[in-house]
């Protein structure tokens, strides 16, 4: 069909008519191509805050973290963006006395005030009794999530997921709790729970969520491990359809998202030191981009001044505390300070905590030696403490009772386990597999051993200077968590006797420091050694290459 006759001379009217027709044709041809709908979703996240509701000392700086400063930061970000989702990947329980004394009541209060959208159950949510967890859930104005934790009747103990509606798109957030909770959780509190495989649970759930929402976020307490065979890396590898994994459990610091199978995994280290901030681009209801950063919350670094002195400088911007929330939380600390402000001694130097899961430490020696000292009249051979139970460093200077409560926050008593030599050998076989885990031991005077990392065995094990006698009976002081198999110490489950002193570890540690005269200094005593044997084949190969 011709729109005009090419033989007709052009006139002003003809040109105008042609332009109008051309515009009409172009308009009709583009009518079906709607402009792309692009929007952003900001995901803010924390994990493993572990009972740190108020600002605290984190070497080398005082007054870092805390919920009041976090509240201010979240408010600032919400003022900048239309769509904001605030999540926590679990383990808000068990930390400083102002939280522990009140069973994390300050955290629930603070999270309600800040306006969290969801919190996933971490393994430390099972440190307290089921009744305490039930009360926490009742007090919370946000949902607890976990799709893979069920009671004995097979019912979920928390919501499996939530759907959040935003203008133009929907977001599904589902929770997963590490299956290792059945090992590392308090045995008394997890014995009636079923922890289903995280990947199998997600493989069944994610397809359902994809039909209900445009974006699927996994809020998990699984941990970032070294391989793709465990933790959140396995989840990303094995479960298609997840747009983002917000993780916890391993207390991992990341400079950028870890991307596995095109799925970004993020974590915000620990203790509320950082707030994770991810900006997700959503175009026509599909995720097309993701940018992420960790925002420090009043962290400070030590710098050298021109005159040779040193001072502290904020890492990033200083964040003011929300005064209303601060006023709500301060009474908890004041009540604790009144009880625990008593000075018990002095630390001549700093006792670090960062390596208690990897090697012998002076702080671990102090804790284990205090247990051996307390049970000295019970013919104890040695004492053993899981590194994961030591939760804070011991700063140089004045030591108060509160300091020790921060280091040993769990309500564990000292138990003397009577065990056969054969089971003690099995215990050390297990220890060889623990470096880097919370189960890694800190031990007292009276025991020494070498971990051969090449073959995964403990060697040169000496108890009071003698090799283990398989036929002998030994007495080992430990904490009440480990004494019943906690953290994988199954050898203790075969005990032929247990005596619970009913005395808390931290109280014993306080008494021990006092009886030492109050002055202590860090000492590592070569109780735990590491060696990597080089296979004979490698030695032979080296000689063959260098024979010429």
């Amino acid at each position: 069909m011709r729109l005009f006759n090419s033989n007709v001379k052009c006139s002003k009217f003809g040109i105008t008519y042609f332009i109008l027709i051309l515009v009409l044709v172009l308009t009709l041809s583009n009518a079906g191509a709607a402009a792309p709908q692009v929007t952003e979703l900001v995901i803010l996240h924390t994990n493993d805050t572990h009972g740190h509701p108020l600002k605290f000392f984190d070497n080398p700086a005082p007054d870092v973290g805390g919920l009041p400063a976090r509240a201010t930061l979240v408010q600032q970000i919400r003022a900048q963006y239309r769509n904001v989702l605030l999540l926590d990947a679990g383990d808000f329980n068990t930390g400083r006395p102002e939280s522990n004394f009140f069973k994390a009541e300050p955290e629930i209060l603070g999270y309600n005030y800040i306006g969290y959208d969801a919190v996933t159950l971490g393994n430390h949510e099972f440190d307290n009794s089921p009744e305490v967890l039930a009360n926490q859930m009742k007090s919370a104005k946000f949902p607890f999530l976990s799709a893979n934790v069920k009671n004995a009747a097979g019912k979920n103990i928390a919501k499996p997921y939530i759907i959040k509606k935003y203008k133009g798109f929907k977001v599904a957030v589902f929770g997963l709790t590490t299956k290792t909770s059945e090992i590392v959780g308090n045995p008394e509190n997890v014995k009636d729970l079923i922890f289903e495989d995280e990947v199998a649970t997600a493989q069944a759930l994610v397809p359902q969520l994809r039909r209900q929402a445009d974006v699927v976020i996994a809020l998990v307490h699984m941990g970032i491990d070294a391989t793709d065979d465990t933790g959140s890396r396995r989840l990303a590898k094995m479960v298609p359809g997840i747009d983002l994994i917000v993780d916890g459990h391993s207390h991992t610091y990341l400079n950028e998202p870890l991307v596995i199978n095109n799925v970004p995994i993020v974590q915000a280290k620990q203790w509320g030191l950082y707030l994770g901030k991810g900006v997700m681009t959503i175009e026509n209801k599909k995720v097309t981009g993701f940018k992420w950063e960790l925002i420090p919350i009043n962290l400070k670094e030590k710098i050298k001044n021109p005159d040779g002195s040193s001072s502290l400088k904020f890492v990033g911007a200083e964040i003011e505390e929300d005064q209303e929330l601060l006023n709500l939380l301060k009474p908890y600390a004041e009540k604790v300070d009144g009880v625990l402000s008593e000075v018990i001694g002095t630390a001549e130097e700093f006792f670090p905590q960062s390596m208690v899961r990897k090697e012998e430490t002076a702080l671990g020696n102090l804790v284990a030696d205090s247990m051996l000292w307390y049970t000295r009249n019970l013919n104890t051979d040695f004492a053993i403490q899981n590194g994961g139970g030591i939760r804070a460093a011991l700063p140089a200077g004045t030591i108060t009772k509160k300091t020790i409560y921060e280091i040993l926050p769990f309500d564990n008593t000292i138990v003397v386990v009577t065990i056969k030599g054969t089971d003690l050998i099995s215990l050390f076989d297990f220890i060889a597999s623990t470096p880097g885990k919370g189960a890694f031991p800190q031990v007292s005077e009276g025991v020494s051993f070498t971990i051969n990392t090449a073959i995964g065995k403990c060697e040169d094990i000496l108890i009071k200077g003698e090799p283990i006698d398989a036929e002998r009976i030994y007495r080992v002081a430990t904490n009440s968590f480990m004494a019943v198999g906690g953290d994988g110490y199954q050898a203790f489950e075969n005990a032929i006797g247990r005596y619970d002193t009913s005395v808390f570890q931290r109280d014993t540690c306080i008494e021990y420091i006092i009886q030492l005269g109050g002055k202590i200094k860090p000492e590592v005593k070569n109780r735990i050694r590491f060696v990597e044997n080089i296979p004979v084949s490698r030695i032979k190969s080296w000689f063959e290459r260098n024979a010429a």
Side-chain angles (χ1 to χ4, degrees):
M1 172 182 165
R2 286 188 173 183
L3 296 177
F4 63 93
N5 188 339
S6 59
N7 294 319
V8 177
K9 290 184 179 180
C10 290
S11 64
K12 285 185 178 181
F13 175 79
I15 293 172
T16 303
Y17 177 74
F18 170 73
I19 291 172
L20 288 172
I21 293 298
L22 183 62
V23 170
L24 178 63
V25 170
L26 292 173
T27 301
L28 290 173
S29 66
N30 288 306
Q37 295 181 357
V38 181
T39 188
E40 289 179 331
L41 172 67
V42 174
I43 300 102
L44 303 180
H45 63 96
T46 49
N47 58 272
D48 300 280
T49 55
H50 283 297
H52 285 69
L54 293 161
K55 61 187 178 184
F56 58 96
F57 176 88
D58 187 54
N59 192 54
D63 300 336
V64 303
L67 287 171
R70 194 191 311 173
T72 297
L73 180 56
V74 170
Q75 290 164 8
Q76 292 172 349
I77 294 171
R78 281 181 173 145
Q80 297 171 8
Y81 295 90
R82 180 175 183 175
N83 305 315
V84 178
L85 182 64
L86 179 57
L87 306 172
D88 187 278
D91 272 9
F92 62 86
N93 278 280
T94 309
R96 292 170 62 84
E98 57 265 31
S99 175
N100 293 351
F101 273 39
F102 305 99
K103 304 300 182 186
E105 185 179 309
E107 275 70 31
I108 300 295
L109 189 157
Y111 277 34
N112 285 343
Y113 181 91
I114 297 172
Y116 269 77
D117 292 295
V119 173
T120 278
L121 290 176
N123 56 289
H124 283 283
E125 269 60 85
F126 304 103
D127 288 345
N128 300 304
S129 69
E131 291 75 22
V132 170
L133 179 57
N135 286 334
Q136 291 175 344
M137 289 180 168
K138 185 177 179 180
S139 300
K141 295 179 181 178
F142 50 85
F144 284 74
L145 303 183
S146 187
N148 68 315
V149 183
K150 298 181 178 179
N151 60 23
K155 295 184 65 175
N156 288 96
I157 68 167
K159 283 190 174 183
Y161 65 90
I162 58 170
I163 304 290
K164 297 286 290 184
K165 295 180 181 180
Y166 297 90
K167 186 175 181 181
F169 64 96
K170 296 179 183 178
V171 179
V173 182
F174 72 97
L176 292 172
T177 304
T178 175
K179 183 172 170 56
T180 63
S181 297
E182 59 193 9
I183 298 172
V184 302
N186 186 313
E188 183 64 26
N189 297 332
V190 301
K191 64 182 181 181
D192 295 324
L193 297 177
I194 301 167
F195 293 86
E196 296 181 336
D197 181 77
E198 310 98 328
V199 166
T201 300
Q203 286 173 334
L205 181 59
V206 170
Q208 301 175 36
L209 299 181
R210 289 250 62 117
R211 292 191 290 271
Q212 299 180 57
D214 307 299
V215 178
V216 174
I217 297 174
L219 181 63
V220 306
H221 194 84
M222 297 173 65
I224 297 174
D225 297 329
T227 72
D228 296 351
D229 299 325
T230 56
S232 57
R233 294 172 64 126
R234 174 175 173 251
L235 182 69
K237 177 184 176 183
M238 300 295 293
V239 183
I242 299 174
D243 294 302
L244 172 67
I245 297 175
V246 177
D247 193 19
H249 188 52
S250 55
H251 300 207
T252 304
Y253 175 86
L254 296 172
N255 287 310
E256 59 186 18
L258 174 65
V259 180
I260 303 292
N261 197 24
N262 293 319
V263 180
I265 304 171
V266 295
Q267 252 196 65
K269 201 179 179 182
Q270 63 187 14
W271 301 348
L273 294 169
Y274 297 88
L275 179 71
K277 176 190 174 188
V279 181
M280 184 179 283
T281 303
I282 301 169
E283 186 171 339
N284 292 331
K285 300 188 176 185
K286 293 186 181 296
V287 177
T288 58
F290 183 69
K291 295 180 180 179
W292 179 83
E293 64 176 323
L294 278 181
I295 304 174
I297 300 182
N298 289 337
L299 300 192
K300 306 168 188 74
E301 59 184 349
K302 189 175 287 188
I303 59 171
K304 278 282 184 76
N305 298 319
D307 62 0
S309 64
S310 61
S311 59
L312 295 172
K313 176 185 176 184
F314 279 96
V315 179
E318 180 180 1
I319 303 168
E320 290 186 9
E321 294 185 296
D322 182 289
Q323 194 61 46
E324 184 177 347
L325 180 55
L326 181 61
N327 291 340
L328 290 172
L329 296 177
K330 271 174 129 180
Y332 293 99
E334 290 167 355
K335 290 175 185 176
V336 169
D337 287 342
V339 177
L340 300 180
S341 59
E342 180 183 344
V343 175
I344 62 168
T346 303
E348 295 183 2
E349 298 174 35
F350 177 63
F351 285 69
Q353 176 262 354
S354 59
M355 300 300 287
V356 292
R357 298 169 185 244
K358 297 179 180 179
E359 64 186 28
E360 177 187 346
T361 65
L363 185 56
N365 288 348
L366 176 69
V367 172
D369 284 343
S370 70
M371 297 161 69
L372 180 65
W373 167 79
Y374 186 80
T375 59
R376 61 195 180 280
N377 294 328
L378 299 175
N379 297 319
T380 307
D381 292 292
F382 69 94
I384 184 170
Q385 160 74 28
N386 57 322
I390 300 173
R391 308 301 291 188
L394 176 59
T398 299
I399 307 171
T400 64
K401 287 184 176 180
K402 183 179 180 182
T403 310
I404 305 304
Y405 270 69
E406 291 169 358
I407 293 169
L408 298 170
F410 300 103
D411 290 336
N412 287 327
T413 57
I414 297 175
V415 178
V416 176
V417 178
T418 304
I419 187 173
K420 296 177 182 177
T422 50
D423 288 320
L424 191 57
I425 292 170
S426 297
L427 183 143
F428 279 97
D429 286 341
F430 167 71
I431 284 173
S433 71
T434 64
K437 301 176 182 177
F440 184 81
Q442 298 293 318
V443 296
S444 71
E445 179 185 357
V447 61
S448 64
F449 57 94
T450 299
I451 298 178
N452 188 327
T453 57
I455 60 175
K457 296 284 287 184
C458 283
E459 302 173 333
D460 305 322
I461 306 168
L462 296 177
I463 310 296
K464 293 185 174 177
E466 299 290 335
I468 296 177
D469 182 350
E471 302 300 318
R472 203 195 125 182
I473 301 299
Y474 292 85
R475 290 188 175 181
V476 183
T478 188
N479 60 59
S480 52
F481 168 67
M482 296 170 65
V484 291
D487 251 350
Y489 280 86
Q490 295 179 356
F492 284 141
E493 294 181 11
N494 299 326
I496 57 178
R498 290 188 191 87
Y499 172 66
D500 192 330
T501 66
S502 299
V503 175
F504 287 119
Q505 273 188 287
R506 52 187 173 236
D507 294 332
T508 292
C509 192
I510 288 168
E511 288 184 36
Y512 181 63
I513 291 171
I514 293 171
Q515 75 85 32
L516 287 176
K519 282 193 176 182
I520 58 174
K521 63 180 179 180
E523 293 182 87
V524 175
K525 300 187 176 181
N526 206 32
R527 295 169 182 172
I528 304 174
R529 302 172 296 275
F530 286 86
V531 66
E532 181 179 358
N533 283 347
I534 302 174
V536 174
S537 59
R538 283 172 56 186
I539 298 174
K540 182 179 178 182
S541 176
W542 185 89
F543 275 109
E544 288 174 349
R545 290 196 309 271
N546 293 276

